[in-house]
Amino acid sequence: MSQFSVSKLLDSEIVLVRDVVCSGACRHRSDEECTHATHLVFPYRGVFVRHVGRDDTVAESNQVLFFNPYEGYQVSHPVPGGDACLDLRLSEETLQELVPAELLRAGTVAFLTQRRRIDPRAQSLVALLRYSLRRGVAEPLEAETLALTLVRRALGERTSHAAGASVGRRKLVDRAKLVMASDLARRWTLAEIAREVGVSPVYLTQVFAQVEAVPLYRYQLRLRLARALDLLGDCDELTQLGLELGFSSHSHFSAAFRQAYGRTPAEFQRSLDLR
C-alpha cells in the first residue's frame, strides 16, 4: 500500500489545490525527489522533517513550506503518526504577482528559504479552504479567491515571519518542536523540554523567541489549536476534544480558540456546517 494519499480538490487556470496525506512509514530519510513546479505546502496535521542539502526544516501547522522546482529534497518522520498537508500550486504569472521579490531568487519564482511561519488567521484559511472544497460548498471563484488570500497572508511582511538567528540555533528550536509534537496534548513544562534538547530553560526561551518571534508556550498553543481545526469536521463533543488536546476545560479551549481565530469552536463549526 502506498504511504501517500492525494486528493485533487481544485484544478483551475489559477491554482491547483490538493490534499496530501502521508502515513509516515518512512522514519528515516527517503530517497531524494523533486517537484517540477513551485509548490506552497501547508501542513495541518502531524509533523515531518524536510531535508534540502544540509538544511533541515520541521514541517508542522505553524509553517508554510516552499518546494522549488528541480530542487532535490528528502523527507523523514522522526515522530510517528504521519502527516497531512494542503498543497497549492499556482501559475507562474500568479506567483510573480503575489510573491514579494525579496523572497525569491533573482529572476526566478524559486524561494530563497524553505519556510515561513504563518499566523493563526492563515491557519484558519487553510482549514476553511480545505473544508469548503472537500464538502463541495465553495464555487471555483470563491475557492480561488480564498487560495490567493491564503498565499498573500502566508507571505506578508506583517502576517508571517522568516526564521532568524544562526543555523545552530534554528536546529535547537527544531528539536524543541519535535519534542512538543511527540505528545501534543501533554502539559509540558519548560524544564522538561529544555532537558530533552539538552540546554537550560533560560537559554531555550531566549533562542526560541529569537528564531520564531513568539514565546515557546504560545507556539505550542497554536499547534494544539491547529489540531483542533483539523478535528472539528468530525467532532460532536467539543468539551472532550478540548480535554484530549490538553486544555483544562471547555471554557479554556473555547476562549483560546476564539482569541486565535476570532470565533469559538462551535461558531467555526456552524460557519462551515460541520456538525
Side-chain angles (χ1 to χ4, degrees):
M1 180 182 295
S2 172
Q3 62 175 314
F4 285 101
S5 169
V6 181
S7 302
K8 186 185 295 183
L9 304 182
L10 175 69
D11 190 358
S12 76
E13 186 177 344
I14 300 297
V15 60
L16 169 68
V17 180
R18 304 186 304 166
D19 192 10
V20 181
V21 179
C22 178
S23 68
C26 180
R27 298 294 298 277
H28 303 290
R29 290 195 185 202
S30 65
D31 294 333
E32 187 170 275
E33 53 190 300
C34 69
T35 66
H36 302 289
T38 303
H39 290 249
L40 280 72
V41 174
F42 295 86
Y44 64 84
R45 182 192 311 151
V47 62
F48 65 92
V49 179
R50 182 171 180 253
H51 312 272
V52 179
R54 295 183 178 181
D55 185 17
D56 301 336
T57 294
V58 174
E60 33 73 19
S61 54
N62 282 325
Q63 308 290 332
V64 56
L65 272 69
F66 309 121
F67 285 65
N68 291 326
Y70 307 106
E71 181 178 68
Y73 67 88
Q74 298 168 292
V75 170
S76 63
H77 293 84
V79 177
D83 63 85
C85 304
L86 196 69
D87 174 22
L88 274 64
R89 190 186 75 198
L90 289 86
S91 69
E92 186 168 321
E93 295 78 9
T94 304
L95 277 174
Q96 288 174 335
E97 283 194 66
L98 275 177
V99 183
E102 60 269 20
L103 301 184
L104 297 176
R105 297 172 186 168
T108 71
V109 287
F111 286 86
L112 288 167
T113 61
Q114 278 209 62
R115 55 97 171 180
R116 287 182 75 88
R117 178 175 58 77
I118 61 176
D119 69 353
R121 174 58 179 163
Q123 289 178 329
S124 67
L125 287 170
V126 171
L128 179 63
L129 179 60
R130 183 170 63 91
Y131 281 131
S132 298
L133 288 172
R134 290 201 72 91
R135 286 167 170 74
V137 298
E139 295 185 2
L141 178 59
E142 179 187 2
E144 289 176 322
T145 303
L146 275 174
L148 296 185
T149 302
L150 169 59
V151 172
R152 190 177 295 111
R153 190 166 191 96
L155 303 178
E157 181 180 357
R158 297 183 178 181
T159 53
S160 66
H161 171 74
S166 65
V167 172
R169 293 189 172 194
R170 293 199 299 270
K171 287 182 179 294
L172 170 63
V173 167
D174 280 350
R175 294 204 303 272
K177 291 178 184 178
L178 290 175
V179 170
M180 291 185 288
S182 68
D183 192 349
L184 202 57
R186 177 172 170 175
R187 297 181 184 180
W188 291 97
T189 67
L190 181 58
E192 288 171 339
I193 299 175
R195 192 157 45 244
E196 289 287 335
V197 299
V199 297
S200 74
V202 172
Y203 186 71
L204 176 60
T205 57
Q206 291 173 339
V207 171
F208 200 97
Q210 184 181 30
V211 173
E212 293 296 341
V214 294
L216 188 150
Y217 76 87
R218 186 174 300 168
Y219 199 92
Q220 186 205 28
L221 175 63
R222 290 182 182 177
L223 290 176
R224 286 178 172 176
L225 293 173
R227 180 62 174 148
L229 282 174
D230 174 38
L231 294 172
L232 281 176
D234 300 307
C235 178
D236 294 322
E237 182 48 64
L238 295 178
T239 298
Q240 186 62 31
L241 174 61
L243 294 175
E244 289 175 355
L245 289 174
F247 293 93
S248 59
S249 64
H250 174 70
S251 60
H252 179 206
F253 171 44
S254 185
F257 193 97
R258 183 169 189 171
Q259 184 176 26
Y261 304 127
R263 63 188 74 182
T264 66
E267 289 169 342
F268 187 87
Q269 282 186 321
R270 287 195 293 269
S271 70
L272 293 177
D273 192 25
L274 295 182
R275 287 184 182 273

